[in-house]
């Protein structure tokens, strides 16, 4: 690491660089956060796949709303001393199913979410203010942290993601059909209500995990950005979800690996990788369009 | 034309329960096959404005029903009611003897022009393939080859082979519309509902779509409910016309409905139906009820 140190000094930078990147003790840290990496990897994959439908159903705002309520649930659990996983899950499912019941009309939905979201955020902040435990776990729910996920908790997080993915796979074609055109799908016997509610269930599950890994404010980085990137480079029904999963995986795991070297929350690393991927995909798409023209 | 026979039954009030309680033996009455679509006393109003009321309608196998009417007269809403996604104020709708409010539907539907956004991760052939197995759970694993053959045939029929590999969001309005017609036809539906499918098609493709639908109902006996603003392209195929206006309606053969006296009574004001250069033109329908016909009359 001496080369890096020399570089820092040469550049005249004082302390802050060490906060961003510092790879001393890397191996030890790795062992500590193995569980977080596994959780993040699974989340990245499932988030990337789910994101394709979030984009198609125009639900980015809903994701944001659900994550604020999930945050409130997690903060409430922290305050009560109960399981954060369960708290995040409860808040998230409640919000997701409520939004699902509001129905498909985007405008009604968005105004309701706009009302719900600050309420959830306010509630969560209230709970955190009342809580007098470790400050880092407070901040972590908003902006993400490498929580040292313990064994049972890891299986919860992974299990929740796997259930969400199983739901998506089970309703894959009807969901695709319903997202494209609900009435045409209904004409062919796709039950729109059931499909939407199952999708919201999957969304709630994934968001509750994402809140605990990247924090409520940055859930979109794993649930929208990877899929949006994939859509820039492909229009294939098969390739887009696969690429979304890949980009999500790279951002989530890459973010944690980089964050290990510094003392910042993990979200800036994850969001930066995700954003860079998006820019790269835009560039690739633009070049290809120009060549095709 | 089977539909001409069916026309006389359209307004009969025979008990709907008799038709619905069991599946009548079709072979026993070849001249009067059981209606695929039965509408009884259908009424719908939004905010006190009646779109249509007391609508009784039987559509029999192979029949081509053309729905006409002004903007906002409730044509699209009628199709949505037939799909079961719009609830009626009162009345019943049955498809193949089964209420549309529940049950599995096998209806082909071409919605009124709604552009598919760019960035939809789907190519032309994916859209058509959803018509075959989009209602099945899970991901597509087996039967890809058989599916491919069906989709290719449907695409070829709408002159869309070239469009199969293009991202659906990048296709023009008319090209998307042709993909939707292919999607509706590929499913081999029990009933075909088309909401202004000719909307943004050029003359050549208008004729192509009309003859495609016409052929389908002749070869497969698929009844067609076809909403259009201009009756002329479908007039040769049309068995009966349902004309919606001012909360009321008229149902009958084209020559029975598209008449000055009938439409004048329907609109409650003087309306002229004229034939100009082989085309039927409706003149003088109130502008607020029907801007389209003004344009055409001008
Ligand atoms: N869910 C609804 N709530 C309130 N009003 C509605 C609803 N659905 C339709 N309407 C109204 O019903 C009327 C009929 O609409 P519809 O789309 O059926 O007309 P249309 O005959 O298809 O017209 P166009 O020729 O323009 O396609 C319109 O005035 C519309 O605003
Ligand atoms: Mg309409």
């Amino acid at each position: 690491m001496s080369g890096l140190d020399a570089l820092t000094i040469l550049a005249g930078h004082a302390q802050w660089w060490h906060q961003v990147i510092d790879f001393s003790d890397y191996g030890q840290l790795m062992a500590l956060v193995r569980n977080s990496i596994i959780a993040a990897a699974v989340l990245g994959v499932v988030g990337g796949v789910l994101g394709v439908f979030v984009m198609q159903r125009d639900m980015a705002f809903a994701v944001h709303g659900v994550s604020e309520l999930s945050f409130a649930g997690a903060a409430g659990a922290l305050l009560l001393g109960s399981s954060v996983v369960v708290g995040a899950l409860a808040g998230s499912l409640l919000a997701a199913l409520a939004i699902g019941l509001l129905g498909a009309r985007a405008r009604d939905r968005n105004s309701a979410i706009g009302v719900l979201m600050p309420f959830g955020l306010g509630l969560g902040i209230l709970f955190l203010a009342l809580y007098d435990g470790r400050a880092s776990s407070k901040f972590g729910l908003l902006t993400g942290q490498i929580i040292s996920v313990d064994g049972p908790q890891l299986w919860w997080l992974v299990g929740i993601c796997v259930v969400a993915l199983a739901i998506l796979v089970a309703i894959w074609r009807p969901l695709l059909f319903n997202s494209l055109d609900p009435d045409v799908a209904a004409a062919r016997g796709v039950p729109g209500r059931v499909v939407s509610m199952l999708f919201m269930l999957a969304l709630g599950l994934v968001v509750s995990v994402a809140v605990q890994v990247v924090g409520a404010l940055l859930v979109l980085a794993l649930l929208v950005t990877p899929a949006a990137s994939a859509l820039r480079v492909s229009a294939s029904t098969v390739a887009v979800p696969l690429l979304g999963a890949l980009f999500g995986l790279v951002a989530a795991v890459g973010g944690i690996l980089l964050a290990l070297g510094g003392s910042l929350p993990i979200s800036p690393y994850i969001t930066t990788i995700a954003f860079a991927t998006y820019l790269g995909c835009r560039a690739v798409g633009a070049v290809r369009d120009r060549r095709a023209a | 034309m089977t539909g001409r026979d069916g026309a006389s039954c359209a307004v009969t009030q025979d008990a709907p329960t008799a038709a619905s309680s069991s599946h009548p033996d079709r072979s026993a009455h070849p001249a009067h096959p059981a209606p695929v679509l039965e509408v009884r006393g259908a009424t719908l109003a939004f905010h006190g404005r009646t779109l249509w009321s007391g609508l009784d309608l039987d559509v029999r196998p192979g029949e081509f029903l053309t729905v006409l009417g002004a903007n906002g007269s409730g044509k699209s809403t009628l199709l949505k009611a037939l799909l079961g996604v719009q609830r009626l104020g009162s009345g019943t709708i049955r498809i193949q003897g089964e209420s549309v409010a529940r049950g599995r539907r096998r209806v082909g539907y071409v919605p009124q022009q709604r552009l598919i956004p760019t960035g939809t991760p789907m190519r032309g052939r994916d859209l058509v393939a959803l018509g075959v197995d989009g209602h099945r759970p899970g991901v597509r694993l087996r039967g890809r080859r058989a599916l491919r053959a069906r989709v290719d045939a449907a695409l070829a029929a709408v002159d869309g082979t070239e469009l199969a590999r293009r991202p659906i969001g990048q296709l023009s309005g008319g090209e998307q519309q042709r993909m939707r017609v292919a999607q509706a036809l590929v499913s081999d539906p029990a009933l075909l509902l088309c909401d202004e499918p000719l909307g943004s098609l050029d003359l050549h493709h208008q004729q192509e779509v009309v003859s495609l639908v016409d052929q389908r109902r002749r070869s497969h006996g698929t009844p067609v409910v076809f909403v259009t603003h201009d009756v002329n392209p479908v007039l040769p195929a049309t068995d009966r016309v349902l004309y919606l206006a001012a909360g009321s309606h008229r149902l009958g053969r084209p020559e029975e409905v598209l008449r000055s006296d009938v439409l004048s009574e329907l609109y409650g004001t003087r309306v002229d139906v004229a034939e100009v250069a082989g085309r039927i033109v409706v003149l003088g329908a109130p502008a607020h009820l029907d801007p389209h016909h003004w344009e055409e009359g001008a």
Side-chain angles (χ1 to χ4, degrees), chain B residues 75-77 112 195-196 227:
Chain B
K75 305 181 297 296
S76 298
T77 312
Q112 187 164 10
D195 199 348
E196 301 193 33
V227 173

Side-chain angles (χ1 to χ4, degrees), chain B residues 46-47 49 51 70-77 86 112 196 229:
Chain B
F46 286 119
H47 316 300
R49 193 167 78 86
L51 291 185
N71 287 133
S73 59
K75 305 181 297 296
S76 298
T77 312
Q86 172 66 57
Q112 187 164 10
E196 301 193 33
H229 265 295

Side-chain angles (χ1 to χ4, degrees), chain B residues 28-245:
Chain B
H29 305 283
H32 277 281
V36 174
L37 172 67
E38 300 162 83
V39 180
R40 291 290 175 277
T43 298
L44 190 65
F46 286 119
H47 316 300
R49 193 167 78 86
T50 304
L51 291 185
W52 19 267
S53 67
L55 180 62
D56 292 316
L57 180 66
D58 277 351
V59 183
R60 293 176 188 280
E63 188 177 0
F64 195 113
L65 176 75
T66 298
V67 181
L68 299 169
N71 287 133
S73 59
K75 305 181 297 296
S76 298
T77 312
L78 174 64
L79 289 200
K80 288 191 180 154
L82 300 183
L83 287 178
V85 295
Q86 172 66 57
R87 284 173 65 125
L88 292 175
S90 65
T92 58
I93 298 175
R94 290 173 184 282
I95 292 176
Q96 293 184 315
E98 208 182 319
S99 169
V100 291
R102 65 193 124 82
R104 304 190 52 72
R105 294 184 272 273
R106 262 185 59 227
V107 177
Y109 175 48
V110 181
Q112 187 164 10
Q113 183 77 66
R114 195 182 312 138
L115 275 181
I116 298 167
T118 39
T120 300
M122 214 175 266
R123 300 182 194 281
R125 66 161 42 256
D126 300 322
L127 182 94
V128 179
L130 281 179
V132 179
D133 63 3
H135 59 293
R136 297 248 171 84
V139 291
R140 193 175 289 131
L141 294 173
R142 278 166 296 134
R144 281 168 182 270
R145 185 170 300 174
L147 176 75
R148 172 167 285 265
R150 266 180 92 175
V151 170
D152 282 341
L155 280 166
V158 295
D159 203 7
T161 308
E162 301 291 305
L163 309 175
R165 305 244 353 115
R166 300 250 310 270
I168 189 79
Q170 286 176 14
L171 299 182
S172 77
E175 288 168 340
Q176 289 187 4
Q177 200 72 347
R178 275 151 57 205
M179 292 292 116
R180 294 195 133 129
V181 171
Q183 185 192 46
L185 287 177
V186 77
S187 61
D188 197 8
L191 173 67
L192 193 56
L193 305 176
C194 305
D195 199 348
E196 301 193 33
L198 308 182
S200 47
L201 298 186
D202 56 47
L203 259 176
H204 167 72
H205 286 117
Q206 282 191 7
Q207 283 166 359
E208 200 177 74
V209 164
V210 171
S211 82
L212 201 62
V213 171
D214 193 30
Q215 269 169 31
R216 174 61 64 116
R217 59 128 182 180
R218 285 172 201 282
S219 61
H220 291 62
T222 316
V224 179
V225 179
F226 199 104
V227 173
T228 178
H229 265 295
D230 184 5
V231 69
N232 290 292
V234 290
L235 202 53
T238 300
D239 294 321
R240 279 191 297 158
V241 167
L242 173 65
Y243 205 112
L244 304 177

Side-chain angles (χ1 to χ4, degrees), chain A residues 160-223:
Chain A
I160 291 171
C161 285
V162 169
V163 170
L165 187 63
I167 292 174
L168 287 181
V169 170
I171 62 169
W172 192 269
R173 277 177 291 184
L175 180 59
L176 209 59
F177 207 171
N178 178 269
S179 307
L180 182 73
D181 207 321
D183 288 344
V184 181
R188 291 285 290 136
V190 174
R193 219 52 210 277
V194 176
V195 167
S196 317
M197 289 310 282
L198 284 173
F199 173 72
M200 289 311 291
L201 178 63
L203 189 148
L205 291 172
V206 177
V207 167
S208 78
V209 175
V211 164
Q212 296 169 66
V213 177
V214 276
L217 296 180
L218 297 159
V219 165
L220 292 180
L222 283 185
L223 260 63

